[in-house]
Amino acid sequence: MAKRFLQSPPGMPDILSRDQIFFDKILSVVNDFAGFYGFRKIETPILEYTELFEKGIGVSSDIVEKEMYTLRTRGGDSLTLRPEGTAPIARAYLQHGMQNFPQPVKLYYFGPFFRHERQQEGRCRQFHQFGFEVLGEQSPAIDAQVIQISYRILEALKLKKITILINSIGCSLCRPYFKKILKNYYNARKNQICPDCKRRLKKNPLRVLDCKEEKCQRIKNQAPKIVDHLCDECKNHFKEVLEFLDELRLPYILDYCLVRGLDYYTKTVFEIVPLATPDFKNGIGLETRSQVALVGGGRYDDLIKLFSREDVPAMGVAGGVERIIKEMKADGKVFQQARGPLVFLAQLGDLGKRKSLKLFEDFQRAKIWVAESFGRDSIKSQLKIADRLRVKYALILGQKEALDGTIILREMDSGRQEIIKFDKIVDVIKKRLKK
Ligand code: HAM
């Protein structure tokens, strides 16, 4: 049996160079959008006090109940590997007195997150998110803008078959009232629902709407809808968000069962999913829905109030980088690998090696990418590598050339060779590559 410690931990894959190009592409699109829409980058630490997530995400959420990587420090503190980015941003906002900055404060981030999830398609234990957060603004236009940015980023990554699922889950005024209505409806059907729903009904009733069990689907689909029980403010807010989306011609589906797994949400919640997976009308494929959301977010007007007395309405989103990459690959998206080096430097003997190292620096300053294989000694095997790299020119610096102050320039296609003065070679290559 393979030794366990020679494997990366389950759900924590290496990101090999062939995938880095996708990461770079996503980061570059995210950076572009962030710059254009006025978001400033922030990096919070990978570890935070456990309490931040317990208070922020909610003790009855799946994340806090069973998915956090928590450790005790030597000093006895409890720290947790961040499972998400919104609670840390809210913490940073307060810690750095950002309520005194011009509002709204617009921040974005990109980095690794950790959840001890059951191993299944679309779920890693270490994964990457980009996120956008707008703090200090309650206008529904911000909800629409965050959704717009999320959608346009996926579009810029050439994902076409996607749609927005959207719902409103009300506020601290109207939600408790709806929870009662939902509880009454479910309690009257208690013998027909799964044990998980029974448990949720007690602890976190809205989450019954997230149930993926076959036997609960019909009951869920016929359950009272929260949008029919919103207070006037939430109703108007939601109406305006939808009007903005119409104005922007963004495709969306009202998903009355969308409640999201984090407790801090108020009013608007949304996800962007690949189309064609779930069939909401018939409830087919719903069991896979939470695994396929490429991005998810919503408004969290009460989160900061949980940490301080400040009233800071906020809205944000996070996108799952690995899931987006998987979708890009499924769409047949391939990125051109960056052009490799155009020059290869082959060397022989000690003096040749020493002079090559110096020459390398000169090429680096001239911004000409040169490859080498210092580990190999035979010119023949080095030229083989040059051939494989498909460089235009190989430079050969043997013992004789090193002593003469010359270097051989070989044109790889024709095999033609000429001797050039060592001091002139960077200029000669520059001219030939028309730099
Ligand atoms: P979330 O829905 O938990 O929301 O995660 C956002 C996205 O991260 C998901 O749509 C998914 O693409 C990706 N994701 C989540 N868990 C995993 C996993 N185990 N493996 C791979 N990808 C995953 C949040 O995290 C909120 N903080 C979003 C937010 C920002 N709300 C307001 N502001």
Side-chain angles (χ1 to χ4, degrees):
M1 203 173 71
K3 288 184 185 129
R4 201 170 71 146
F5 73 92
L6 292 179
Q7 306 287 313
S8 70
M12 300 189 171
D14 296 311
I15 304 162
L16 300 178
S17 38
R18 61 169 178 258
D19 275 341
Q20 294 293 345
I21 194 156
F22 286 90
F23 271 76
D24 292 349
K25 177 72 189 166
I26 295 175
L27 180 58
S28 121
V29 169
V30 165
N31 280 336
D32 282 355
F33 274 82
F36 184 81
Y37 285 96
F39 286 78
R40 310 280 300 271
K41 195 159 186 187
I42 180 167
E43 275 182 36
T44 59
I46 304 287
L47 286 163
E48 297 271 359
Y49 286 111
T50 305
E51 230 182 315
L52 177 77
F53 299 116
E54 288 173 345
K55 276 214 163 83
I57 306 173
V59 282
S60 61
S61 64
D62 279 357
I63 293 181
V64 174
E65 257 189 356
K66 46 192 186 205
E67 293 170 3
M68 296 205 302
Y69 286 93
T70 295
L71 57 96
R72 204 155 277 285
T73 66
R74 286 171 201 273
D77 289 326
S78 177
L79 298 182
T80 290
L81 282 174
R82 58 183 192 184
E84 63 100 47
T86 310
I89 297 284
R91 193 260 312 135
Y93 178 91
L94 288 170
Q95 182 175 341
H96 302 287
M98 293 190 207
Q99 54 282 48
N100 303 318
F101 296 5
Q103 304 293 300
V105 173
K106 294 169 129 185
L107 301 169
Y108 81 106
Y109 50 91
F110 193 105
F113 291 85
F114 306 84
R115 295 185 194 175
H116 190 271
E117 305 226 40
R118 228 164 18 96
Q119 291 274 65
Q120 50 186 310
E121 188 71 15
R123 291 187 185 273
C124 315
R125 291 180 174 171
Q126 174 173 342
F127 57 98
H128 295 74
Q129 283 187 346
F130 61 81
F132 289 81
E133 313 284 354
V134 184
L135 300 111
E137 177 56 66
Q138 60 182 2
S139 163
I142 289 294
D143 304 33
Q145 190 179 63
V146 167
I147 298 172
Q148 175 193 26
I149 294 171
S150 318
Y151 191 87
R152 300 291 179 223
I153 284 179
L154 297 179
E155 223 176 33
L157 293 169
K158 305 277 188 289
L159 297 184
K160 292 194 190 88
K161 289 176 271 166
I162 49 173
T163 198
I164 299 159
L165 306 179
I166 191 165
N167 194 19
S168 171
I169 56 166
C171 65
S172 53
L173 278 180
C174 53
R175 201 185 316 158
Y177 170 68
F178 175 71
K179 276 185 185 168
K180 267 192 201 145
I181 297 177
L182 192 67
K183 262 178 143 173
N184 288 342
Y185 168 85
Y186 267 83
N187 276 330
R189 292 156 185 81
K190 217 168 182 173
N191 51 1
Q192 300 167 49
I193 59 176
C194 71
D196 245 4
C197 277
K198 282 183 191 149
R199 202 174 50 85
R200 283 170 172 158
L201 212 50
K202 279 199 193 122
K203 278 186 149 180
N204 198 346
L206 276 193
R207 292 299 307 269
V208 294
L209 297 175
D210 218 13
C211 180
K212 322 276 182 314
E213 280 291 323
E214 186 76 43
K215 70 188 279 196
C216 301
Q217 295 310 305
R218 196 180 48 81
I219 296 174
K220 189 174 96 169
N221 291 338
Q222 292 171 3
K225 298 179 174 58
I226 190 161
V227 286
D228 296 333
H229 301 277
L230 296 175
C231 63
D232 283 348
E233 198 201 308
C234 287
K235 204 183 292 170
N236 287 335
H237 186 98
F238 194 41
K239 193 170 142 270
E240 282 186 56
V241 174
L242 298 183
E243 281 168 5
F244 282 125
L245 297 186
D246 289 334
E247 187 80 18
L248 292 165
R249 295 181 184 281
L250 290 171
Y252 61 84
I253 297 174
L254 293 174
D255 180 357
Y256 303 117
C257 291
L258 184 69
V259 287
R260 311 251 318 124
L262 305 107
D263 285 359
Y264 49 60
Y265 289 114
T266 49
K267 295 183 176 164
T268 316
V269 287
F270 79 100
E271 286 179 354
I272 302 184
V273 295
L275 260 178
T277 324
D279 173 353
F280 294 102
K281 276 205 190 102
N282 302 309
I284 298 166
L286 282 172
E287 69 282 357
T288 61
R289 197 192 61 203
S290 68
Q291 290 157 43
V292 297
L294 304 175
V295 309
R299 194 157 260 293
Y300 48 98
D301 291 348
D302 295 341
L303 176 59
I304 294 211
K305 237 184 285 172
L306 288 175
F307 301 150
S308 78
R309 288 212 195 104
E310 320 259 347
D311 196 0
V312 183
M315 166 79 197
V317 65
V321 175
E322 283 79 357
R323 286 194 199 173
I324 293 172
I325 291 178
K326 190 161 172 276
E327 216 48 44
M328 287 162 86
K329 286 182 177 170
D331 258 15
K333 183 86 201 108
V334 274
F335 288 109
Q336 207 70 51
Q337 289 284 344
R339 178 75 180 91
L342 294 171
V343 182
F344 186 91
L345 180 54
Q347 38 62 44
L348 205 62
D350 277 352
L351 188 56
K353 214 166 255 164
R354 233 178 298 148
K355 288 187 96 173
S356 296
L357 282 171
K358 169 75 179 58
L359 187 58
F360 232 74
E361 278 192 356
D362 296 340
F363 275 117
Q364 191 267 326
R365 276 193 207 105
K367 298 200 179 355
I368 296 171
W369 185 3
V370 180
E372 46 70 30
S373 180
F374 284 149
R376 286 175 204 255
D377 271 337
S378 107
I379 292 284
K380 200 169 152 212
S381 69
Q382 291 182 62
L383 287 181
K384 247 192 203 159
I385 296 172
D387 208 35
R388 230 179 28 225
L389 289 173
R390 297 182 185 210
V391 295
K392 239 175 140 161
Y393 301 105
L395 305 175
I396 303 163
L397 188 62
Q399 200 76 343
K400 177 174 173 301
E401 290 78 25
L403 285 170
D404 281 1
T406 57
I407 191 162
I408 299 171
L409 169 60
R410 178 188 174 96
E411 203 181 82
M412 291 302 282
D413 275 351
S414 62
R416 223 178 33 183
Q417 298 198 161
E418 41 188 311
I419 295 173
I420 310 279
K421 272 195 153 344
F422 186 81
D423 299 343
K424 297 272 178 286
I425 189 65
V426 176
D427 286 339
V428 170
I429 290 282
K430 230 190 212 173
K431 248 186 227 143
R432 300 217 179 165
L433 295 176
K434 291 208 179 60
K435 273 231 157 202

